[in-house]
Amino acid sequence: MEELDDVLLIPPKDKYSSQERRKKDGSVRVVHNPHHRLRVIQRRINKRLFSNQNFVSWPDHIFGSIPNQKFEGSKHPKDYVACAKVHCGAKSILTLDIENFFGNIHVSQVIKVFTQLLKFSPEVAEVVSKICCHEDYLIQGALTSSYIAGLILFDVEGMVVERLLRKNLRYTRLVDDINVSSVVSDYNFSYAKTIIEDMLIGKDLPVNHSKTKIQYSSTVPLTVHGLRVGFKEPRLPSDEVRKIRAAVHSIELMAKEPNYKTTHSYRRDFNRCMGRVNKLCRVGHNQYDKLLLRLQKNYPLPSKKDIERAIKIVTKLEVDYPTKQGNFWFAKRFYLAHERLNILQRSFPNVAYDLRFRLKAIKTVYE
């Protein structure tokens, strides 16, 4: 309780630091980084409430930045690929975007989520909402924001989904991106668009009309979240596969440069390329195994400086262990140490073994 009181006493100007990030369309998005004490509380809220399926069971139409669901022993993914899959086989798609989604969610709406949906007492709901909001609004960067945004339409969205389903329309929302699809060619989405916009206006959520679009299979290949959905399963666009193949080839060329595989820039490019190749796995592309094998032949290698860094991290963990073992940042450094040792082992297995032995005496109990 004392820890919570300390967080609530943090001055508003110190609760978040801000950072500008440029989006793909050239506009600027301001992302806020929570104070480390605030981050600890928000992470606990996520773990104990929003990521706990015994407490929150996420509906079928909500995707993105929420945990995968398990039913009867099988896992149901909640990422963008699973979202796109709902619309596979469609002939017409309506897409709407909620403008400045987080910034338009007022604290009063957040309190309703906690009191009406999660059944918190008004007093508890008000305190938790202060932890999750900043200056009366949800904020981009708070660890709880995506979860709350997923629930903010809890009392109206289900009814809209049912009304659309009666028209044989499929509805999904991935954070602020709404998609509605029909298996009918050149479908008239006027009714669907009206009831969705009315739902959003009722929650004081404006629609970004510049991003509203309708796709028809008779004119363009249909896509949802960058994936083609005119098939039984989502597929990456052919030009994206070509770019991934070119990225793997670029890694192979860089790996031939003397000692370049030991540099941090190569490690960064390799990890980025591996992430793109893993997209092929997620959509079941037949080139995944081949491209993965090519990458695995060119893993980054450690340098002697990596030995110094690894020793420094492990030594610092040993010093901090008695007083900071339950701290979030201690846990982060603990897992970073193991990641560095995985790389170190490729060229210096004896050093990596010795450092792992030292880490065995350290346990992180952060929650």
Side-chain angles (χ1 to χ4, degrees), residues 72-87:
E72 299 179 353
S74 61
K75 185 174 76 171
H76 296 259
K78 282 291 190 177
D79 63 358
Y80 74 104
V81 178
C83 185
K85 187 175 181 179
V86 174
H87 302 284

Side-chain angles (χ1 to χ4, degrees), residues 227-292:
L227 298 174
R228 294 184 63 182
V229 295
F231 312 93
K232 291 183 179 180
E233 299 286 337
R235 295 185 184 180
L236 284 169
S238 56
D239 63 329
E240 177 67 12
V241 177
R242 178 181 55 79
K243 291 176 182 178
I244 294 174
R245 194 185 307 115
V248 173
H249 180 64
S250 178
I251 290 294
E252 291 173 325
L253 293 178
M254 287 189 287
K256 293 180 180 179
E257 296 291 328
N259 300 320
Y260 193 66
K261 290 169 73 174
T262 65
T263 65
H264 279 282
S265 57
Y266 178 82
R267 193 174 301 173
R268 182 189 64 245
D269 292 338
F270 179 91
N271 290 337
R272 185 182 296 127
C273 186
M274 180 64 79
R276 297 178 70 181
V277 169
N278 285 336
K279 288 171 65 176
L280 296 175
C281 177
R282 183 65 185 87
V283 298
H285 198 280
N286 58 14
Q287 289 201 31
Y288 167 71
D289 290 333
K290 179 180 178 181
L291 293 178
L292 177 64

Side-chain angles (χ1 to χ4, degrees), residues 10 46-47 53 80 102 122-123 148 160 168 192 215 235-236 254 260 288 295 312 318 323 344:
I10 297 174
N46 287 347
K47 182 177 180 180
Q53 193 170 336
Y80 74 104
F102 292 175
E123 295 78 13
I148 293 173
V160 168
N168 295 317
Q215 305 173 70
R235 295 185 184 180
L236 284 169
M254 287 189 287
Y260 193 66
Y288 167 71
L295 266 188
K312 186 176 180 179
E318 290 172 329
T323 58
L344 202 64

Side-chain angles (χ1 to χ4, degrees), residues 31-276:
V31 177
H32 303 272
N33 186 35
H35 188 282
H36 68 275
R37 289 185 177 178
L38 182 59
R39 178 183 290 270
V40 168
I41 302 298
Q42 290 177 349
R43 191 176 295 274
R44 288 177 182 169
I45 292 172
N46 287 347
K47 182 177 180 180
R48 298 174 185 180
L49 301 182
F50 300 129
S51 295
N52 182 356
Q53 193 170 336
N54 294 324
F55 195 83
V56 176
S57 183
W58 293 87
D60 292 341
H61 59 272
I62 299 297
F63 296 85
S65 301
I66 59 176
N68 296 329
Q69 301 291 280
K70 291 183 179 180
F71 299 108
E72 299 179 353
S74 61
K75 185 174 76 171
H76 296 259
K78 282 291 190 177
D79 63 358
Y80 74 104
V81 178
C83 185
K85 187 175 181 179
V86 174
H87 302 284
C88 279
K91 298 293 182 62
S92 306
I93 296 177
L94 165 69
T95 300
L96 300 100
D97 179 82
I98 304 172
E99 187 171 3
N100 188 21
F101 190 25
F102 292 175
N104 277 299
I105 297 177
H106 191 260
V107 65
S108 61
Q109 296 168 285
V110 177
I111 290 175
K112 285 183 179 179
V113 170
F114 286 114
T115 55
Q116 297 180 16
L117 178 64
L118 303 181
K119 306 302 181 184
F120 284 22
S121 69
E123 295 78 13
V124 172
E126 186 172 352
V127 171
V128 177
S129 296
K130 286 182 180 179
I131 295 294
C132 299
C133 295
H134 181 55
E135 296 180 346
D136 290 339
Y137 287 91
L138 218 57
I139 190 168
Q140 185 102 22
L143 277 60
T144 49
S145 289
S146 294
Y147 293 97
I148 293 173
L151 296 172
I152 207 68
L153 300 172
F154 74 95
D155 54 341
V156 292
E157 194 168 33
M159 188 181 302
V160 168
V161 173
E162 289 183 6
R163 292 173 67 184
L164 294 175
L165 190 59
R166 289 197 289 266
K167 301 291 185 181
N168 295 317
L169 299 175
R170 290 168 287 184
Y171 172 104
T172 61
R173 178 165 62 88
L174 190 144
V175 190
D176 58 354
D177 292 323
I178 295 173
N179 284 278
V180 181
S181 65
S182 171
V183 294
V184 177
S185 299
D186 302 328
Y187 186 83
N188 184 346
F189 285 108
S190 298
Y191 167 78
K193 186 171 178 287
T194 297
I195 65 171
I196 292 171
E197 289 181 344
D198 287 347
M199 171 186 71
L200 297 175
I201 291 172
K203 289 288 186 177
D204 296 328
L205 298 173
V207 176
N208 187 343
H209 293 288
S210 65
K211 292 187 177 181
T212 298
K213 66 177 182 179
I214 296 177
Q215 305 173 70
Y216 295 125
S217 59
S218 58
T219 57
V220 294
L222 302 187
T223 60
V224 172
H225 307 309
L227 298 174
R228 294 184 63 182
V229 295
F231 312 93
K232 291 183 179 180
E233 299 286 337
R235 295 185 184 180
L236 284 169
S238 56
D239 63 329
E240 177 67 12
V241 177
R242 178 181 55 79
K243 291 176 182 178
I244 294 174
R245 194 185 307 115
V248 173
H249 180 64
S250 178
I251 290 294
E252 291 173 325
L253 293 178
M254 287 189 287
K256 293 180 180 179
E257 296 291 328
N259 300 320
Y260 193 66
K261 290 169 73 174
T262 65
T263 65
H264 279 282
S265 57
Y266 178 82
R267 193 174 301 173
R268 182 189 64 245
D269 292 338
F270 179 91
N271 290 337
R272 185 182 296 127
C273 186
M274 180 64 79
R276 297 178 70 181

